[in-house]
Amino acid sequence: MAEDESVFLRAKDRSYKGLTEDEQKEWSGPFYFIQAADPQLGLMKAWRIGDCDSGGDEWTEEVQLTKQAVQAINKLQPRPRFMILCGDLVHAMPGNAFREEQVKDLKEALRGTDPDIPLVFVSGNHDLGNTPTPDTVEQFCRDWGDDYFSFWVGGVLCLVLNSQFFFDSSGCPELMEAHEVWLESQLQRAIKTPSRHVLVFQHIPLFLRTPDEEDDYFNLQRGIRERLIQRFKQAGVKAVFSGHYHRNAGGCHDGLDMVVSSAVGCQLGNDTHGVRVVVVTEDDIIHRYHSLDQLTKGGMDEDLKKLLV
């Protein structure tokens, strides 16, 4: 795990348009990014036939949807500053026979992303296993990069977390402890270091509707949730972006916006395949889910685009 390492510095040219991390700490005006979640190659057919535990033996649909997303995002003007995929990149759990091919095909589908749009990957439960181990975490890091890290972009501090440690860390307590030490250092840094906004990205939502809701497969346990909310608020976190639910949800609580975005891949509710456009202004974080068809045909909504001027 690489503490404080910028996603832009993790890119192959180890820079972002020639700007250093210190330069990225400075506010440079409004910008936007794309949040996507759960391409989860292999789930769509598995869900239809009621066999979600097999790992999914067919993922042509998800590959095509991912390619559609990439093509639509490549056409956006101006370019988004980055695109972040909030977990469950593939459906096959670690050790499943379909895993390697799903990872390979997702990488191939994403390869067409404009090189000026950095990709950021967040780990999900299907990427690490419901109970991650040192081996599954290491495999994710080999395939997609660090499972947690921070980066600056345009005066905004972004924290990418491994939310599976909050769910069940019994298979890797030492890794959980390292993650906790790192997270606390980052939150203290956020308190002490001036930034325009602080944003958090993780796969599992803190909550789906309200902080006091009952525990569910799709949210974090209430005690853990409440502690994180308190810590995030103290550090000035403006919004938490997640996936996992395969439906759009979320809510704002005492200034903390919990944003739950539906999937690029399999839908479990009434939403359509899509991504979220997130506009960052000097004072606000404004976001809206766009279907892939909407983004392909018309681009981002004009009222959002006007916020960038």
Side-chain angles (χ1 to χ4, degrees):
M1 278 63 70
E3 185 171 342
D4 298 335
E5 191 175 27
S6 164
V7 66
F8 305 125
L9 300 182
R10 293 169 72 240
K12 65 179 181 179
D13 65 354
R14 304 196 66 77
S15 67
Y16 177 69
K17 296 184 178 179
L19 298 179
T20 66
E21 181 176 322
D22 283 343
E23 288 171 314
Q24 286 290 348
K25 290 180 180 178
E26 299 298 322
W27 175 250
S28 54
F31 66 90
Y32 79 102
F33 64 88
I34 301 295
Q35 184 224 359
D38 301 275
Q40 204 159 342
L41 272 61
L43 178 58
M44 291 179 71
K45 178 186 173 184
W47 181 260
R48 281 197 300 270
I49 66 175
D51 185 22
C52 292
D53 294 334
S54 68
D57 63 355
E58 171 58 53
W59 51 89
T60 303
E61 292 172 282
E62 290 94 338
V63 167
Q64 290 305 315
L65 288 164
T66 303
K67 288 181 176 179
Q68 182 183 358
V70 166
Q71 291 166 2
I73 291 164
N74 282 348
K75 293 178 181 178
L76 294 175
Q77 291 293 338
R79 291 276 192 266
R81 294 294 292 269
F82 61 92
M83 177 167 69
I84 186 163
L85 284 81
C86 283
D88 278 3
L89 306 175
V90 299
H91 182 58
M93 292 280 192
N96 185 280
F98 301 117
R99 170 77 170 218
E100 185 176 349
E101 286 300 308
Q102 289 177 4
V103 168
K104 180 176 72 68
D105 287 351
L106 180 58
K107 287 182 177 181
E108 186 59 35
L110 293 170
R111 203 178 304 278
T113 307
D114 189 300
D116 284 337
I117 306 173
L119 293 173
V120 186
F121 300 102
V122 180
S123 60
N125 58 304
H126 280 264
D127 306 310
L128 300 171
N130 286 321
T131 304
T133 68
D135 287 343
T136 65
V137 172
E138 181 182 359
Q139 182 62 59
F140 175 86
C141 293
R142 285 200 301 267
D143 287 337
W144 303 107
D146 300 329
D147 60 319
Y148 60 89
F149 54 95
S150 64
F151 64 96
W152 287 86
V153 55
V156 176
L157 175 61
C158 299
L159 306 180
V160 175
L161 309 188
N162 182 337
S163 59
Q164 212 56 35
F165 290 154
F166 303 136
F167 181 81
D168 183 358
S169 61
S170 60
C172 53
E174 292 182 355
L175 294 183
M176 167 58 179
E177 179 59 27
H179 180 270
E180 173 58 30
V181 170
W182 171 85
L183 176 57
E184 181 59 25
S185 73
Q186 293 297 304
L187 295 177
Q188 290 301 316
R189 175 194 192 192
I191 292 171
K192 298 172 183 176
T193 306
S195 65
R196 182 54 55 186
H197 303 290
V198 182
L199 305 179
V200 167
F201 301 91
Q202 59 187 55
H203 179 61
I204 303 176
L206 298 170
F207 56 87
L208 300 175
R209 302 293 179 188
T210 62
D212 59 353
E213 68 195 21
E214 295 298 316
D215 293 351
D216 186 272
Y217 171 77
F218 290 108
N219 62 21
L220 289 178
Q221 293 176 350
R222 190 165 177 176
I224 295 171
R225 174 199 321 163
E226 290 173 346
R227 287 192 296 273
L228 285 171
I229 289 172
Q230 182 180 24
R231 295 168 70 191
F232 288 170
K233 286 167 57 179
Q234 289 174 344
V237 173
K238 192 73 171 282
V240 178
F241 292 89
S242 296
H244 191 50
Y245 192 43
H246 292 254
R247 285 153 283 202
N248 287 308
C252 197
H253 171 69
D254 198 16
L256 177 65
D257 195 3
M258 180 65 249
V259 184
V260 184
S261 293
S262 196
V264 171
C266 187
Q267 302 298 311
L268 303 186
N270 297 320
D271 297 297
T272 57
H273 311 283
V275 299
R276 189 170 297 273
V277 176
V278 184
V279 176
V280 180
T281 70
E282 190 167 8
D283 298 317
D284 293 307
I285 307 295
I286 304 100
H287 52 85
R288 188 175 303 152
Y289 190 80
H290 289 56
S291 73
L292 294 185
D293 288 343
Q294 173 190 2
L295 204 65
T296 298
K297 295 173 184 176
M300 65 187 291
D301 291 342
E302 284 299 321
D303 63 324
L304 295 182
K305 192 179 295 186
K306 289 178 180 178
L307 296 174
L308 301 170
V309 178

